[in-house]
Amino acid sequence: MTQLEQITQYMQTALASDNSGHSADHIDRVVALANKILINEPMADPFIVRAAALLHDVYDDKLFNNASDVQLAKSHLKTFLSNISVSQDDISRIFYIIDNMSWSKGIGGQAQHLDINGQIVQDADRLEAVGAIAITRAITYGAVKNRILYDPAIPPRIAQNKAEYRNDDSTTINHFYEKLLLIKDRLNTETAKKIATSRHQFMLDFLAQFKAEWDLTK
Ligand code: ADP
Ligand code: NI
C-alpha cells in the first residue's frame, strides 16, 4: 500500500462514526476538489496537499467533547505518520496546514499565512461549504447541534471570536450569512473562485425560495 492509501484507511477509521457532516464522503470530495485545483498549481506539492486534505478533520475540535481528546487524536495521528515513514519535515507541514486552515481559526484576524499547499486544501474544504451539498451539511449540522432552523426575529451576526462563532443561539439559516455566503470572496486560487460562482448562486436561489415559502402564511 502507498502512504496515501494507508492515510486514507486511517482517516476512514477515525471518521467512521461522524454524523455532523464531516464523514468520509466529505473528505473524498475535499480530496477531489484539491486534485482539480492542483492541476493549475504546478508549484504545489501533491503529497502534502492530498495528505492534509485526507487528514484535516481527524482531530477537529467539533468531533470531540474536550480539548484533551483532541490532543490525544493529534498525537495518535503523529505516531501513525511516523510509523508509515512520513518524514518529520512533511509531518510538520501537514500539521501546520491542518492547524491553520479552518474558518474558525481565521475569525477576528487570527489567520496565519498558508503556503500554496495550505491554500489549496483550505479552498477545497471551503468549497464544500458552498453549494447544494453545503446546504444539506449545514442543515444536518444544525440538527445534530439542536439549533433552530430559522427565526426571522434572530438577526445574523458576524462573529468576532471563536466562542461567538460557535454560539448556539443563532440559526442554521443565519449560518449562510455568517459564513457560507462569505466564502466566495475568501478563496485563494482562481480555480476555486471559478467553481464557487455557480455554487454561490445556487445558495442565494435556495434562500430566496426558502423565505418565499416561509412567508406564505403572512
Ligand atoms: P471550520 O471547520 O473550517 O472551522 P466550521 O466550523 O464552520 O469550519 O465547520 C464546517 C462546516 O460545518 C460548515 O461548513 C457547515 O457545513 C457546518 N457548520 C458549522 N457551524 C455551523 C452552524 N452554526 N450551523 C450550521 N452548520 C454549521
Ligand atoms: Ni472539512
Side-chain angles (χ1 to χ4, degrees), residues 9 59 84 133 163 171 175:
Q9 266 191 359
Y59 60 89
I84 64 164
I133 291 175
T171 70
H175 189 64

Side-chain angles (χ1 to χ4, degrees), residues 22 60 62 102-104 129 138 141 147 165-166 175 179:
H22 297 88
D60 190 301
K62 286 191 296 305
S102 77
W103 183 265
S104 41
Y141 182 99
R147 292 169 75 98
Y165 179 67
R166 294 272 178 242
H175 189 64
K179 173 182 176 187

Side-chain angles (χ1 to χ4, degrees), residues 42-196:
M43 301 307 280
D45 178 333
F47 173 74
I48 296 293
V49 169
R50 290 176 184 137
L54 282 165
L55 295 170
H56 78 273
D57 275 337
V58 161
Y59 60 89
D60 190 301
D61 58 7
K62 286 191 296 305
L63 305 184
F64 297 94
N65 294 324
N66 58 62
S68 71
D69 286 350
V70 173
Q71 282 315 313
L72 212 61
K74 197 170 173 175
S75 66
H76 191 269
L77 172 61
K78 204 169 263 178
T79 306
F80 161 74
L81 290 172
S82 293
N83 287 345
I84 64 164
S85 306
V86 178
S87 71
Q88 290 307 309
D89 190 43
D90 281 356
I91 293 175
S92 302
R93 293 160 76 196
I94 293 164
F95 275 79
Y96 179 83
I97 293 173
I98 299 174
D99 288 337
N100 291 290
M101 63 183 273
S102 77
W103 183 265
S104 41
K105 184 89 185 190
I107 289 170
Q110 299 296 301
Q112 297 289 318
H113 176 75
L114 293 171
D115 69 3
I116 184 61
N117 301 317
Q119 290 179 5
I120 293 172
V121 185
Q122 184 179 63
D123 277 3
D125 193 36
R126 287 191 173 170
L127 284 173
E128 262 284 280
V130 189
I133 291 175
I135 295 172
T136 66
R137 290 181 71 224
I139 293 167
T140 305
Y141 182 99
V144 168
K145 299 278 180 191
N146 281 320
R147 292 169 75 98
I148 302 162
L149 176 61
Y150 180 52
D151 182 346
I154 304 174
R157 209 173 37 140
I158 305 296
Q160 299 305 312
N161 55 53
K162 194 163 172 176
E164 274 182 27
Y165 179 67
R166 294 272 178 242
N167 129 49
D168 283 328
D169 299 342
S170 197
T171 70
T172 295
I173 292 296
N174 277 351
H175 189 64
F176 287 81
Y177 301 93
E178 292 164 352
K179 173 182 176 187
L180 310 188
L181 293 172
L182 308 179
I183 289 173
K184 79 165 177 40
D185 295 324
R186 310 267 180 94
L187 294 166
N188 308 295
T189 64
E190 290 310 311
T191 315
K193 287 175 195 170
K194 269 197 203 112
I195 297 171

